[in-house]
Amino acid sequence: MDADTVEKAKKPKLRVSKGQIILLALLGVLLALVITVVVFIASKPTFINGIVTDILLVRLAKDKEIECEVDADIKYGTFEAETEARFWRTELEDELMATMVEIGNMKLYFIDGALYLENGRGFKTEGKGNADYSAAISSLPDLLDGYTVNSRKTNDGREYYVVVTGDGAVDYVTDLYPDYADKISEVEDIEINLLVENWKITRIRLAGSAILDNGNEAELDAVIKVIDDADRSEHEIPQAVLDAMGDDVENLTISQDMIDLAYAISRYYSKDPNAAQISLATNVTFFELGYDNVNWYRLKVEDEWINYVSVANKKYYYNGNGSCNADGSNLNEAEKAPIDIAKVVDSVYDIFLERKFSATEEDGTTLYQVDLDKEDVSNLVATYLPKFLTYADKVESAEATLTVVEGQVTEVKLVLHGSVKILFLQKAFDVWLTFTPETDIDSVEFDVPDEVVEALIGK
Protein backbone atom coordinates (compact mmCIF):
# COMPACT_ATOMS: atom_id res chain seq x y z
CA MET A 1 0.00 0.00 0.00
CA ASP A 2 1.17 3.43 -0.92
CA ALA A 3 2.39 5.37 2.04
CA ASP A 4 0.37 8.39 0.92
CA THR A 5 -2.76 6.36 1.08
CA VAL A 6 -2.09 4.93 4.48
CA GLU A 7 -4.37 6.47 6.98
CA LYS A 8 -2.27 7.98 9.73
CA ALA A 9 -3.09 6.85 13.25
CA LYS A 10 -4.64 9.57 15.40
CA LYS A 11 -3.10 10.38 18.83
CA PRO A 12 -5.53 10.07 21.74
CA LYS A 13 -6.58 13.35 23.35
CA LEU A 14 -5.37 14.12 26.91
CA ARG A 15 -8.35 14.34 29.18
CA VAL A 16 -8.22 16.13 32.64
CA SER A 17 -10.70 15.04 35.22
CA LYS A 18 -12.69 17.43 37.38
CA GLY A 19 -10.83 16.18 40.47
CA GLN A 20 -7.50 17.05 38.94
CA ILE A 21 -8.77 20.48 37.97
CA ILE A 22 -9.89 21.11 41.56
CA LEU A 23 -6.57 19.86 42.91
CA LEU A 24 -4.60 22.13 40.59
CA ALA A 25 -6.79 25.04 41.59
CA LEU A 26 -6.20 24.33 45.27
CA LEU A 27 -2.47 24.08 44.72
CA GLY A 28 -2.56 27.43 42.98
CA VAL A 29 -4.50 29.00 45.84
CA LEU A 30 -2.09 27.46 48.36
CA LEU A 31 0.91 28.77 46.45
CA ALA A 32 -0.68 32.20 46.34
CA LEU A 33 -1.30 32.07 50.09
CA VAL A 34 2.31 31.02 50.76
CA ILE A 35 3.58 33.87 48.60
CA THR A 36 1.23 36.27 50.38
CA VAL A 37 2.36 35.10 53.81
CA VAL A 38 6.03 35.34 52.81
CA VAL A 39 5.51 38.83 51.46
CA PHE A 40 3.53 39.81 54.58
CA ILE A 41 6.21 38.47 56.91
CA ALA A 42 8.90 40.27 54.95
CA SER A 43 6.97 43.53 55.07
CA LYS A 44 5.51 43.14 58.62
CA PRO A 45 8.17 41.49 60.83
CA THR A 46 6.80 43.21 63.94
CA PHE A 47 3.58 41.21 63.58
CA ILE A 48 5.49 37.94 63.87
CA ASN A 49 7.65 39.37 66.65
CA GLY A 50 4.49 40.08 68.59
CA ILE A 51 3.22 36.53 68.18
CA VAL A 52 6.57 35.04 69.25
CA THR A 53 7.01 37.25 72.31
CA ASP A 54 3.41 36.76 73.40
CA ILE A 55 3.76 32.97 73.32
CA LEU A 56 7.07 33.05 75.21
CA LEU A 57 5.87 35.60 77.76
CA VAL A 58 2.67 33.73 78.52
CA ARG A 59 4.67 30.53 78.99
CA LEU A 60 7.10 32.28 81.37
CA ALA A 61 4.33 34.06 83.26
CA LYS A 62 2.50 30.76 83.85
CA ASP A 63 5.64 28.89 84.93
CA LYS A 64 5.04 27.78 88.53
CA GLU A 65 8.69 27.14 89.31
CA ILE A 66 11.08 29.95 88.45
CA GLU A 67 14.16 31.59 89.95
CA CYS A 68 15.44 34.99 88.90
CA GLU A 69 18.11 37.53 89.79
CA VAL A 70 17.19 41.22 89.82
CA ASP A 71 19.63 44.10 89.49
CA ALA A 72 17.92 47.51 89.59
CA ASP A 73 20.03 50.69 89.30
CA ILE A 74 18.79 54.25 89.68
CA LYS A 75 20.85 57.42 89.17
CA TYR A 76 20.12 61.11 89.48
CA GLY A 77 22.63 63.90 89.99
CA THR A 78 25.51 62.50 92.02
CA PHE A 79 23.27 59.88 93.63
CA GLU A 80 23.47 56.27 92.55
CA ALA A 81 21.77 53.27 94.15
CA GLU A 82 21.81 49.61 93.22
CA THR A 83 19.45 46.95 94.50
CA GLU A 84 20.38 43.30 94.06
CA ALA A 85 17.72 40.70 94.76
CA ARG A 86 16.88 37.09 94.02
CA PHE A 87 13.39 35.65 93.95
CA TRP A 88 11.80 32.25 93.65
CA ARG A 89 8.23 31.43 92.71
CA THR A 90 6.83 28.05 93.66
CA GLU A 91 3.52 26.25 94.08
CA LEU A 92 2.56 25.02 97.53
CA GLU A 93 0.65 21.81 98.21
CA ASP A 94 -2.71 23.59 98.36
CA GLU A 95 -2.06 25.11 94.89
CA LEU A 96 -1.30 28.53 96.36
CA MET A 97 1.52 30.38 94.64
CA ALA A 98 4.32 31.65 96.88
CA THR A 99 7.11 34.06 96.03
CA MET A 100 10.24 34.31 98.17
CA VAL A 101 12.36 37.44 97.76
CA GLU A 102 15.90 37.66 99.13
CA ILE A 103 17.49 41.12 99.37
CA GLY A 104 20.77 41.26 101.25
CA ASN A 105 20.18 39.23 104.41
CA MET A 106 16.44 39.91 104.35
CA LYS A 107 13.93 37.34 103.13
CA LEU A 108 10.29 38.15 102.41
CA TYR A 109 7.50 35.71 101.52
CA PHE A 110 4.43 36.70 99.49
CA ILE A 111 1.52 34.28 99.76
CA ASP A 112 -2.18 34.82 99.07
CA GLY A 113 -2.17 38.62 99.36
CA ALA A 114 0.04 38.78 102.45
CA LEU A 115 3.72 39.44 103.13
CA TYR A 116 5.45 37.33 105.79
CA LEU A 117 8.78 37.81 107.54
CA GLU A 118 10.92 34.77 108.37
CA ASN A 119 9.51 34.69 111.90
CA GLY A 120 5.97 34.29 110.50
CA ARG A 121 4.84 37.85 111.17
CA GLY A 122 2.41 38.74 108.39
CA PHE A 123 1.16 41.97 106.82
CA LYS A 124 -1.50 42.81 104.29
CA THR A 125 -0.26 43.97 100.90
CA GLU A 126 -2.18 46.58 99.00
CA GLY A 127 -1.40 49.02 96.21
CA LYS A 128 1.94 49.51 94.53
CA GLY A 129 5.42 48.84 95.71
CA ASN A 130 4.96 45.66 97.75
CA ALA A 131 8.30 44.21 96.54
CA ASP A 132 6.87 41.04 94.94
CA TYR A 133 9.25 40.98 91.97
CA SER A 134 7.44 38.11 90.27
CA ALA A 135 4.76 40.67 89.32
CA ALA A 136 7.31 42.13 86.92
CA ILE A 137 7.04 38.87 84.96
CA SER A 138 3.36 38.07 85.40
CA SER A 139 2.26 41.52 84.20
CA LEU A 140 4.29 41.52 80.96
CA PRO A 141 1.84 39.75 78.60
CA ASP A 142 -0.94 42.27 79.31
CA LEU A 143 1.48 45.21 79.47
CA LEU A 144 2.91 44.60 75.99
CA ASP A 145 -0.42 43.73 74.38
CA GLY A 146 -1.03 46.07 71.43
CA TYR A 147 2.49 47.48 71.29
CA THR A 148 4.79 47.18 68.27
CA VAL A 149 7.56 44.64 68.87
CA ASN A 150 10.89 45.04 67.08
CA SER A 151 13.81 42.64 67.12
CA ARG A 152 17.51 42.47 66.45
CA LYS A 153 20.21 39.77 66.42
CA THR A 154 22.79 39.92 69.22
CA ASN A 155 25.78 37.79 70.20
CA ASP A 156 23.70 36.21 72.96
CA GLY A 157 20.55 35.56 70.95
CA ARG A 158 17.63 37.43 69.43
CA GLU A 159 16.50 40.47 71.37
CA TYR A 160 12.93 41.74 71.18
CA TYR A 161 12.29 45.31 72.32
CA VAL A 162 9.20 47.39 72.99
CA VAL A 163 8.74 51.05 73.97
CA VAL A 164 6.02 51.39 76.62
CA THR A 165 4.38 54.65 77.69
CA GLY A 166 1.66 55.94 79.99
CA ASP A 167 0.29 54.33 83.14
CA GLY A 168 1.62 50.93 82.12
CA ALA A 169 5.17 52.29 82.15
CA VAL A 170 4.67 53.77 85.62
CA ASP A 171 3.26 50.51 86.98
CA TYR A 172 6.11 48.47 85.57
CA VAL A 173 8.74 50.83 86.98
CA THR A 174 7.22 50.52 90.46
CA ASP A 175 7.27 46.72 90.08
CA LEU A 176 11.07 46.91 89.81
CA TYR A 177 11.62 49.89 92.13
CA PRO A 178 9.19 49.30 95.04
CA ASP A 179 10.90 51.85 97.29
CA TYR A 180 10.19 54.57 94.72
CA ALA A 181 6.48 53.78 94.35
CA ASP A 182 5.51 56.99 96.18
CA LYS A 183 8.34 59.10 94.76
CA ILE A 184 7.77 58.81 91.00
CA SER A 185 5.56 61.50 89.54
CA GLU A 186 6.02 60.74 85.84
CA VAL A 187 7.52 58.19 83.46
CA GLU A 188 7.83 59.43 79.87
CA ASP A 189 8.59 56.07 78.28
CA ILE A 190 10.63 52.96 78.93
CA GLU A 191 12.16 50.36 76.67
CA ILE A 192 11.65 46.72 77.64
CA ASN A 193 14.03 44.20 76.10
CA LEU A 194 13.51 40.45 76.01
CA LEU A 195 16.52 38.27 75.25
CA VAL A 196 15.47 34.93 73.74
CA GLU A 197 17.83 31.94 73.61
CA ASN A 198 16.71 28.52 72.39
CA TRP A 199 13.10 29.68 72.39
CA LYS A 200 13.22 30.73 76.04
CA ILE A 201 13.25 34.21 77.58
CA THR A 202 16.50 34.37 79.56
CA ARG A 203 16.68 38.10 80.36
CA ILE A 204 14.26 41.00 80.75
CA ARG A 205 15.66 44.51 80.81
CA LEU A 206 14.10 47.89 81.52
CA ALA A 207 15.80 51.14 80.47
CA GLY A 208 14.41 54.66 80.60
CA SER A 209 13.92 57.63 82.87
CA ALA A 210 11.46 58.90 85.45
CA ILE A 211 10.69 62.25 87.02
CA LEU A 212 10.75 62.09 90.81
CA ASP A 213 8.49 64.19 93.01
CA ASN A 214 11.49 66.35 93.98
CA GLY A 215 11.95 67.33 90.33
CA ASN A 216 15.00 65.15 89.68
CA GLU A 217 15.14 63.15 86.47
CA ALA A 218 16.32 59.64 87.31
CA GLU A 219 17.96 57.20 84.92
CA LEU A 220 16.64 53.66 85.27
CA ASP A 221 18.38 50.43 84.33
CA ALA A 222 16.97 47.17 85.66
CA VAL A 223 17.65 43.58 84.63
CA ILE A 224 15.80 40.36 85.49
CA LYS A 225 17.91 37.29 84.73
CA VAL A 226 15.92 34.07 84.47
CA ILE A 227 17.96 31.21 85.95
CA ASP A 228 18.08 28.05 83.85
CA ASP A 229 16.33 25.01 85.32
CA ALA A 230 19.61 23.14 85.74
CA ASP A 231 21.20 25.99 87.69
CA ARG A 232 18.41 26.75 90.16
CA SER A 233 19.40 26.83 93.83
CA GLU A 234 17.62 25.17 96.73
CA HIS A 235 15.09 27.19 98.71
CA GLU A 236 12.30 26.56 101.14
CA ILE A 237 9.50 28.34 102.97
CA PRO A 238 10.27 28.55 106.74
CA GLN A 239 8.00 26.51 108.98
CA ALA A 240 7.08 29.68 110.89
CA VAL A 241 5.64 31.13 107.68
CA LEU A 242 3.77 27.94 106.79
CA ASP A 243 2.32 27.78 110.30
CA ALA A 244 1.15 31.40 110.07
CA MET A 245 -0.69 30.87 106.80
CA GLY A 246 -4.44 30.88 107.24
CA ASP A 247 -4.22 32.94 110.42
CA ASP A 248 -5.41 36.51 110.36
CA VAL A 249 -2.44 38.69 109.45
CA GLU A 250 -1.89 41.79 111.51
CA ASN A 251 -4.43 44.52 110.94
CA LEU A 252 -1.67 46.48 109.32
CA THR A 253 -0.96 47.16 105.67
CA ILE A 254 2.75 47.16 104.89
CA SER A 255 3.68 50.83 104.71
CA GLN A 256 5.91 52.64 102.28
CA ASP A 257 8.18 53.51 105.24
CA MET A 258 8.69 49.79 105.88
CA ILE A 259 9.55 49.15 102.25
CA ASP A 260 11.92 52.13 102.11
CA LEU A 261 13.71 51.01 105.26
CA ALA A 262 13.97 47.40 104.10
CA TYR A 263 15.52 48.49 100.81
CA ALA A 264 17.96 50.87 102.47
CA ILE A 265 19.12 48.03 104.72
CA SER A 266 19.35 45.63 101.78
CA ARG A 267 21.55 48.06 99.85
CA TYR A 268 23.89 48.19 102.83
CA TYR A 269 24.15 44.40 102.85
CA SER A 270 24.59 43.96 99.10
CA LYS A 271 27.11 46.77 98.53
CA ASP A 272 30.42 45.29 97.39
CA PRO A 273 32.89 46.43 98.63
CA ASN A 274 31.69 48.28 101.70
CA ALA A 275 33.29 50.00 104.68
CA ALA A 276 32.31 51.97 107.77
CA GLN A 277 33.64 53.64 110.88
CA ILE A 278 32.45 52.43 114.29
CA SER A 279 32.68 54.56 117.39
CA LEU A 280 31.88 53.42 120.92
CA ALA A 281 31.78 56.10 123.62
CA THR A 282 30.40 56.78 127.09
CA ASN A 283 29.98 59.79 129.38
CA VAL A 284 31.40 57.93 132.37
CA THR A 285 34.75 59.74 132.54
CA PHE A 286 36.70 57.12 134.46
CA PHE A 287 35.62 54.20 132.29
CA GLU A 288 37.60 53.51 129.14
CA LEU A 289 35.79 51.34 126.62
CA GLY A 290 38.82 50.94 124.39
CA TYR A 291 36.94 50.95 121.07
CA ASP A 292 36.55 54.59 120.13
CA ASN A 293 37.82 54.11 116.57
CA VAL A 294 37.08 50.82 114.83
CA ASN A 295 37.06 50.48 111.05
CA TRP A 296 34.87 47.82 109.43
CA TYR A 297 35.24 46.36 105.92
CA ARG A 298 33.25 43.93 103.83
CA LEU A 299 33.82 42.52 100.33
CA LYS A 300 33.32 39.43 98.21
CA VAL A 301 36.24 37.10 97.59
CA GLU A 302 35.69 34.10 95.30
CA ASP A 303 31.98 34.92 95.41
CA GLU A 304 31.83 34.68 99.22
CA TRP A 305 31.63 37.50 101.75
CA ILE A 306 34.54 38.29 104.08
CA ASN A 307 34.29 40.92 106.82
CA TYR A 308 37.07 42.35 108.93
CA VAL A 309 37.63 45.04 111.54
CA SER A 310 40.73 47.11 112.07
CA VAL A 311 41.55 48.44 115.54
CA ALA A 312 44.90 49.52 117.05
CA ASN A 313 46.74 48.41 113.87
CA LYS A 314 45.31 44.91 114.19
CA LYS A 315 42.94 43.26 111.72
CA TYR A 316 40.44 40.55 112.59
CA TYR A 317 38.63 38.68 109.81
CA TYR A 318 35.33 36.80 109.95
CA ASN A 319 32.39 35.40 108.00
CA GLY A 320 29.81 32.66 108.50
CA ASN A 321 32.55 30.02 108.52
CA GLY A 322 34.52 31.45 111.47
CA SER A 323 37.10 34.10 112.35
CA CYS A 324 40.88 34.45 112.14
CA ASN A 325 43.92 36.73 112.27
CA ALA A 326 45.70 38.02 109.18
CA ASP A 327 47.86 34.87 109.21
CA GLY A 328 44.79 32.60 109.22
CA SER A 329 45.12 31.54 112.87
CA ASN A 330 42.09 31.37 115.18
CA LEU A 331 41.17 34.33 117.35
CA ASN A 332 41.12 34.28 121.14
CA GLU A 333 38.17 35.71 123.08
CA ALA A 334 39.77 39.15 123.54
CA GLU A 335 40.41 39.45 119.81
CA LYS A 336 36.77 38.59 119.04
CA ALA A 337 35.48 41.62 121.00
CA PRO A 338 35.73 44.18 118.15
CA ILE A 339 34.02 41.68 115.86
CA ASP A 340 31.13 41.48 118.33
CA ILE A 341 30.87 45.28 118.22
CA ALA A 342 30.63 45.22 114.42
CA LYS A 343 28.01 42.47 114.49
CA VAL A 344 25.70 44.48 116.72
CA VAL A 345 24.65 46.49 113.66
CA ASP A 346 23.15 43.33 112.17
CA SER A 347 21.12 42.87 115.36
CA VAL A 348 19.88 46.45 115.18
CA TYR A 349 18.77 45.96 111.57
CA ASP A 350 16.87 42.81 112.52
CA ILE A 351 15.09 44.72 115.29
CA PHE A 352 14.01 47.44 112.84
CA LEU A 353 12.60 44.88 110.43
CA GLU A 354 10.60 43.15 113.16
CA ARG A 355 9.40 46.09 115.27
CA LYS A 356 7.10 49.04 114.83
CA PHE A 357 9.09 52.23 114.44
CA SER A 358 8.61 55.92 113.84
CA ALA A 359 9.79 57.65 110.68
CA THR A 360 10.25 61.37 110.05
CA GLU A 361 11.29 62.72 106.66
CA GLU A 362 12.63 66.12 105.67
CA ASP A 363 14.44 67.19 102.49
CA GLY A 364 15.28 63.65 101.40
CA THR A 365 16.57 62.55 104.81
CA THR A 366 14.53 60.04 106.81
CA LEU A 367 15.16 59.33 110.47
CA TYR A 368 13.86 55.98 111.72
CA GLN A 369 13.69 55.29 115.46
CA VAL A 370 12.73 52.27 117.53
CA ASP A 371 12.63 51.83 121.31
CA LEU A 372 14.25 48.64 122.54
CA ASP A 373 12.72 46.40 125.17
CA LYS A 374 14.66 44.86 128.06
CA GLU A 375 15.29 41.62 126.20
CA ASP A 376 16.76 43.50 123.24
CA VAL A 377 18.94 45.56 125.54
CA SER A 378 20.15 42.53 127.49
CA ASN A 379 21.08 40.66 124.32
CA LEU A 380 22.85 43.63 122.76
CA VAL A 381 24.82 44.56 125.86
CA ALA A 382 25.89 40.95 126.39
CA THR A 383 26.98 40.82 122.73
CA TYR A 384 29.09 43.91 122.31
CA LEU A 385 29.80 45.16 125.86
CA PRO A 386 30.31 42.08 128.02
CA LYS A 387 32.96 43.68 130.23
CA PHE A 388 30.76 46.73 130.71
CA LEU A 389 28.29 44.55 132.61
CA THR A 390 30.75 44.56 135.50
CA TYR A 391 30.16 48.29 135.93
CA ALA A 392 26.57 48.61 134.84
CA ASP A 393 24.06 47.99 137.61
CA LYS A 394 21.27 48.02 135.06
CA VAL A 395 20.32 49.38 131.67
CA GLU A 396 17.04 51.20 132.06
CA SER A 397 16.20 52.10 128.47
CA ALA A 398 17.64 52.24 124.99
CA GLU A 399 16.78 53.35 121.50
CA ALA A 400 18.17 52.81 118.04
CA THR A 401 18.08 55.36 115.26
CA LEU A 402 18.82 54.83 111.60
CA THR A 403 19.39 57.71 109.18
CA VAL A 404 18.68 57.21 105.47
CA VAL A 405 19.52 59.79 102.79
CA GLU A 406 18.16 59.14 99.30
CA GLY A 407 17.83 55.42 99.88
CA GLN A 408 21.24 54.94 101.48
CA VAL A 409 22.00 54.27 105.14
CA THR A 410 24.26 57.08 106.39
CA GLU A 411 24.28 56.34 110.11
CA VAL A 412 23.16 53.75 112.64
CA LYS A 413 23.18 54.78 116.30
CA LEU A 414 22.42 52.77 119.40
CA VAL A 415 22.10 54.61 122.72
CA LEU A 416 21.91 52.85 126.10
CA HIS A 417 20.77 54.65 129.25
CA GLY A 418 21.53 53.18 132.66
CA SER A 419 23.46 53.60 135.86
CA VAL A 420 26.85 52.75 137.29
CA LYS A 421 27.50 52.13 140.97
CA ILE A 422 30.40 54.27 142.21
CA LEU A 423 31.11 53.38 145.84
CA PHE A 424 27.67 53.87 147.41
CA LEU A 425 26.30 56.20 144.76
CA GLN A 426 24.40 55.48 141.55
CA LYS A 427 25.58 57.54 138.60
CA ALA A 428 23.57 57.80 135.39
CA PHE A 429 25.41 56.92 132.22
CA ASP A 430 24.92 56.82 128.47
CA VAL A 431 26.71 54.63 125.94
CA TRP A 432 26.70 55.49 122.26
CA LEU A 433 27.52 53.07 119.47
CA THR A 434 27.70 54.90 116.14
CA PHE A 435 28.11 53.15 112.80
CA THR A 436 28.91 55.46 109.85
CA PRO A 437 29.20 53.88 106.36
CA GLU A 438 32.02 55.20 104.18
CA THR A 439 30.76 57.47 101.38
CA ASP A 440 33.90 57.43 99.21
CA ILE A 441 34.53 53.71 98.74
CA ASP A 442 37.03 54.32 95.92
CA SER A 443 39.42 55.89 98.43
CA VAL A 444 39.35 52.87 100.75
CA GLU A 445 42.06 50.22 100.60
CA PHE A 446 40.89 46.67 101.24
CA ASP A 447 43.24 43.95 102.46
CA VAL A 448 42.42 40.24 102.58
CA PRO A 449 45.56 38.05 102.72
CA ASP A 450 45.63 34.67 101.01
CA GLU A 451 45.94 32.99 104.41
CA VAL A 452 42.57 34.49 105.41
CA VAL A 453 40.92 33.30 102.19
CA GLU A 454 42.27 29.82 102.80
CA ALA A 455 41.05 29.81 106.42
CA LEU A 456 37.56 31.24 105.80
CA ILE A 457 36.72 29.96 102.32
CA GLY A 458 39.05 27.37 100.85
CA LYS A 459 39.45 24.22 102.86
Side-chain angles (χ1 to χ4, degrees):
M1 182 181 291
D2 194 316
D4 293 335
T5 62
V6 175
E7 184 178 0
K8 297 180 180 179
K10 294 182 179 180
K11 294 182 179 181
K13 291 183 179 181
L14 181 63
R15 293 183 178 274
V16 180
S17 68
K18 290 183 179 180
Q20 291 174 319
I21 294 175
I22 293 174
L23 180 60
L24 289 172
L26 289 174
L27 289 174
V29 171
L30 180 60
L31 179 60
L33 286 174
V34 170
I35 294 173
T36 302
V37 170
V38 171
V39 172
F40 181 81
I41 292 175
S43 60
K44 300 286 186 181
T46 56
F47 176 79
I48 301 302
N49 291 340
I51 294 176
V52 172
T53 55
D54 185 61
I55 293 173
L56 297 180
L57 281 172
V58 169
R59 185 170 66 184
L60 180 62
K62 290 183 176 181
D63 193 342
K64 296 178 180 180
E65 298 290 337
I66 61 173
E67 178 181 352
C68 300
E69 293 177 354
V70 180
D71 191 342
D73 297 347
I74 183 168
K75 302 177 184 178
Y76 51 91
T78 59
F79 171 75
E80 180 177 350
E82 178 181 8
T83 299
E84 295 181 353
R86 181 182 288 261
F87 73 88
W88 295 259
R89 186 170 65 198
T90 188
E91 185 178 29
L92 304 180
E93 291 181 358
D94 52 5
E95 297 185 352
L96 283 177
M97 296 306 299
T99 299
M100 185 182 88
V101 179
E102 183 178 76
I103 311 172
N105 75 332
M106 178 183 64
K107 294 179 181 178
L108 305 174
Y109 303 85
F110 297 86
I111 305 171
D112 198 24
L115 178 153
Y116 297 91
L117 302 178
E118 284 187 274
N119 62 2
R121 185 184 180 193
F123 302 88
K124 296 178 182 178
T125 57
E126 295 178 2
K128 298 179 181 178
N130 63 20
D132 181 359
Y133 282 111
S134 68
I137 288 180
S138 301
S139 64
L140 273 176
D142 290 337
L143 174 64
L144 302 187
D145 185 34
Y147 279 98
T148 299
V149 182
N150 295 289
S151 68
R152 54 191 165 222
K153 189 73 173 66
T154 69
N155 292 332
D156 297 323
R158 180 158 293 277
E159 190 175 68
Y160 297 85
Y161 55 101
V162 184
V163 176
V164 181
T165 61
D167 293 340
V170 176
D171 291 342
Y172 199 69
V173 167
T174 56
D175 282 343
L176 289 172
Y177 296 88
D179 53 332
Y180 282 83
D182 65 336
K183 303 175 183 65
I184 294 175
S185 60
E186 181 182 351
V187 175
E188 294 183 359
D189 55 56
I190 55 172
E191 182 174 292
I192 297 176
N193 294 272
L194 310 173
L195 180 64
V196 174
E197 302 174 80
N198 299 321
W199 293 102
K200 288 184 178 181
I201 295 175
T202 59
R203 189 191 68 201
I204 301 168
R205 183 169 187 171
L206 174 152
S209 61
I211 306 299
L212 305 182
D213 55 11
N214 59 10
N216 287 315
E217 181 174 357
E219 297 179 18
L220 309 174
D221 188 358
V223 175
I224 301 175
K225 180 183 177 182
V226 182
I227 307 299
D228 186 72
D229 295 0
D231 298 326
R232 291 177 184 170
S233 57
E234 294 184 3
H235 61 282
E236 62 180 2
I237 309 292
Q239 190 61 46
V241 174
L242 296 175
D243 292 342
M245 288 172 51
D247 295 341
D248 291 334
V249 296
E250 294 185 24
N251 188 22
L252 173 68
T253 299
I254 185 168
S255 69
Q256 191 62 46
D257 286 331
M258 293 178 68
I259 292 173
D260 293 348
L261 177 61
Y263 271 72
I265 292 174
S266 74
R267 290 195 180 102
Y268 153 77
Y269 276 111
S270 60
K271 192 172 185 178
D272 179 27
N274 204 355
Q277 295 180 349
I278 302 175
S279 175
L280 187 62
T282 180
N283 58 358
V284 180
T285 56
F286 68 86
F287 186 68
E288 177 61 43
L289 294 176
Y291 300 107
D292 57 346
N293 187 14
V294 178
N295 293 312
W296 168 87
Y297 307 86
R298 188 169 189 256
L299 70 160
K300 272 189 174 180
V301 178
E302 298 181 7
D303 206 34
E304 288 197 39
W305 291 107
I306 289 183
N307 308 264
Y308 67 98
V309 293
S310 174
V311 57
N313 297 320
K314 295 280 189 177
K315 294 176 181 177
Y316 308 109
Y317 300 82
Y318 65 98
N319 64 5
N321 299 323
S323 59
C324 66
N325 282 301
D327 60 3
S329 60
N330 293 331
L331 300 179
N332 58 43
E333 290 305 314
E335 291 171 327
K336 291 179 181 179
I339 291 178
D340 292 337
I341 295 173
K343 286 182 176 180
V344 76
V345 177
D346 295 348
S347 299
V348 171
Y349 281 152
D350 291 340
I351 290 170
F352 266 103
L353 292 176
E354 297 184 6
R355 297 283 197 280
K356 293 182 180 179
F357 54 82
S358 63
T360 56
E361 193 273 336
E362 185 176 356
D363 297 331
T365 298
T366 305
L367 184 68
Y368 300 90
Q369 182 168 321
V370 61
D371 294 327
L372 308 182
D373 59 28
K374 289 185 178 181
E375 183 180 356
D376 295 328
V377 173
S378 177
N379 291 337
L380 292 175
V381 171
T383 299
Y384 78 89
L385 272 181
K387 69 177 183 178
F388 191 72
L389 292 175
T390 305
Y391 297 89
D393 190 44
K394 63 179 178 179
V395 176
E396 299 165 351
S397 63
E399 67 268 350
T401 58
L402 196 152
T403 304
V404 174
V405 178
E406 295 182 322
Q408 303 277 15
V409 175
T410 59
E411 183 183 79
V412 180
K413 182 174 286 186
L414 176 65
V415 184
L416 301 178
H417 311 286
S419 61
V420 174
K421 193 171 186 178
I422 303 174
L423 296 178
F424 300 102
L425 300 176
Q426 291 292 121
K427 181 175 176 60
F429 74 88
D430 294 314
V431 177
W432 299 273
L433 172 66
T434 306
F435 181 91
T436 309
E438 179 64 56
T439 55
D440 186 9
I441 291 295
D442 292 337
S443 66
V444 179
E445 294 185 4
F446 292 84
D447 177 26
V448 180
D450 292 340
E451 293 83 354
V452 172
V453 176
E454 179 66 22
L456 297 183
I457 297 178
K459 288 191 177 183

